[in-house]
Amino acid sequence: MPGDNAAQTTTVTDGPLKIGFSQATQQSPFYVALTDAAKAEAQAQGDEFFYADANGDVTKQNNDVQDLITRGVNVLVINPVDPKGITPSLAAAEAAGIKVVTVDRPVESGAAAFVGRDNKAMGQLVGKAAVDTLGPAGGKIIEIQGDAGGAVARDRHDGFQAAVSAQPNITVIDGPYCDYTRSKAVTAMQDLLQAHPDLKAVYAQNDDMALGALQVLTENHRADVKVFGVDGLMEAVRAIADGDQYIATALNDPNAEGKLAIQTAAKVARGESVPEFVDAGTGLVDKSNAPSLVGQSTFAAE
């Protein structure tokens, strides 16, 4: 049958690889660092690196992947704009015999491996820190969310809730989706502060949004409101080390993740066995270890 040959995977046994990387967006320091690390690792391995930025548009991402396939890549690394919306890309890759590794955001099926972190565990680490900080008195926590329908946002929400749900005196209010961007979080926080003047803490699903919330709290002289984020953005780590308002974040080093994604893609392209989930690891950053993690990189790393 004609389809049988199309589905055969081409394994590269030796020589340089052509690695295609379809990035969801560059509108975040995390994704910029992830892309840079992926490119650097591909070059260090002696492989060719083909890159496309979907700019948050799943239709563009599907077109980008088709273009990368046309350019003859041996393996694809995809950070999906929408895990369900890239189904055409996964089908096209399969038809071309090209295996896919997803990074940062998983898909339900169609990828040889997912390189990322346990976002539920990250949310839970930060949630426990919030419980410890607020103590028996508890209070109201505003949660500023990432993207609607995204697996990362869902898991960071669920993990945080798992940590705080047993505390009867803590109430979590679901805030708006701010797409992981600081400017949107600033706008949202201005409204949230007026609507909830009695809030005790803000949990944002990434540090960029948390820093936006912190900016608004500072402008309104609300040093009493504690702030929690995720990602280990160095600016947040410095705020934790130097002050008493930003309390905790969870490590999500994009450099390690980008490097690991390319290493995994190379193994997949050469027919080596890899786990379905390749864990890049995490850990809590708080006052106890933030000073030792401060450095010149964009994100903290253990």
Side-chain angles (χ1 to χ4, degrees):
M1 293 176 66
D4 290 346
N5 292 331
Q8 292 298 311
T9 301
T10 303
T11 302
V12 180
T13 53
D14 55 19
L17 296 168
K18 292 183 177 180
I19 300 174
F21 183 28
S22 171
Q23 177 62 285
T25 178
Q26 289 284 86
Q27 299 300 312
S28 161
F30 182 88
Y31 292 129
V32 172
L34 180 66
T35 301
D36 289 347
K39 182 179 181 180
E41 182 61 19
Q43 291 174 341
Q45 292 178 172
D47 297 325
E48 289 187 74
F49 186 77
F50 298 86
Y51 171 72
D53 172 15
N55 199 26
D57 183 338
V58 71
T59 301
K60 183 179 185 306
Q61 185 161 48
N62 284 322
N63 291 334
D64 288 345
V65 169
Q66 191 61 61
D67 180 58
L68 290 168
I69 291 170
T70 303
R71 295 175 76 175
V73 299
N74 303 118
V75 63
L76 279 162
V77 178
I78 303 177
N79 181 13
V81 171
D82 175 353
K84 292 180 180 176
I86 66 154
T87 301
S89 290
L90 299 173
E94 184 179 17
I98 299 170
K99 287 190 176 180
V100 173
V101 172
T102 55
V103 61
D104 198 54
R105 304 173 187 177
V107 291
E108 286 187 11
S109 62
F114 163 57
V115 179
R117 292 181 167 87
D118 185 338
N119 284 285
K120 189 171 182 179
M122 295 163 80
Q124 202 158 359
L125 281 172
V126 176
K128 185 179 184 304
V131 169
D132 293 344
T133 301
L134 295 182
K140 182 187 288 185
I141 301 174
I142 299 288
E143 180 175 7
I144 300 178
Q145 305 184 82
D147 55 337
V152 171
R154 181 197 65 221
D155 289 349
R156 290 183 182 183
H157 169 84
D158 291 350
F160 190 84
Q161 286 284 359
V164 304
S165 60
Q167 308 301 315
N169 294 326
I170 290 180
T171 304
V172 180
I173 306 295
D174 290 347
Y177 293 99
C178 293
D179 298 318
Y180 300 107
T181 59
R182 189 177 311 200
S183 59
K184 290 184 180 181
V186 167
T187 303
M189 193 66 217
Q190 288 165 345
D191 294 335
L192 291 166
L193 193 56
Q194 285 197 341
H196 304 278
D198 58 337
L199 85 163
K200 297 296 182 185
V202 175
Y203 165 56
Q205 290 176 355
N206 80 341
D207 288 321
D208 217 33
M209 295 191 297
L211 288 160
L214 180 62
Q215 177 186 322
V216 174
L217 292 168
T218 302
E219 289 168 355
N220 286 273
H221 309 290
R222 290 298 305 270
D224 59 303
V225 180
K226 304 304 182 184
V227 177
F228 302 84
V230 181
D231 278 349
L233 186 65
M234 189 56 69
E235 190 179 345
V237 175
R238 288 184 190 279
I240 294 167
D242 296 342
D244 298 311
Q245 188 166 10
Y246 207 126
I247 303 299
T249 183
L251 289 170
N252 189 26
D253 175 22
N255 299 296
E257 191 170 280
K259 182 177 181 178
L260 196 54
I262 295 300
Q263 292 172 346
T264 303
K267 289 178 181 178
V268 166
R270 298 192 192 284
E272 296 178 34
S273 178
V274 298
E276 286 186 13
F277 173 44
V278 181
D279 190 353
T282 188
L284 186 72
V285 180
D286 60 14
K287 200 75 168 176
S288 69
N289 62 349
S292 67
L293 293 170
V294 169
Q296 298 305 311
S297 58
T298 309
F299 288 82
E302 282 189 303

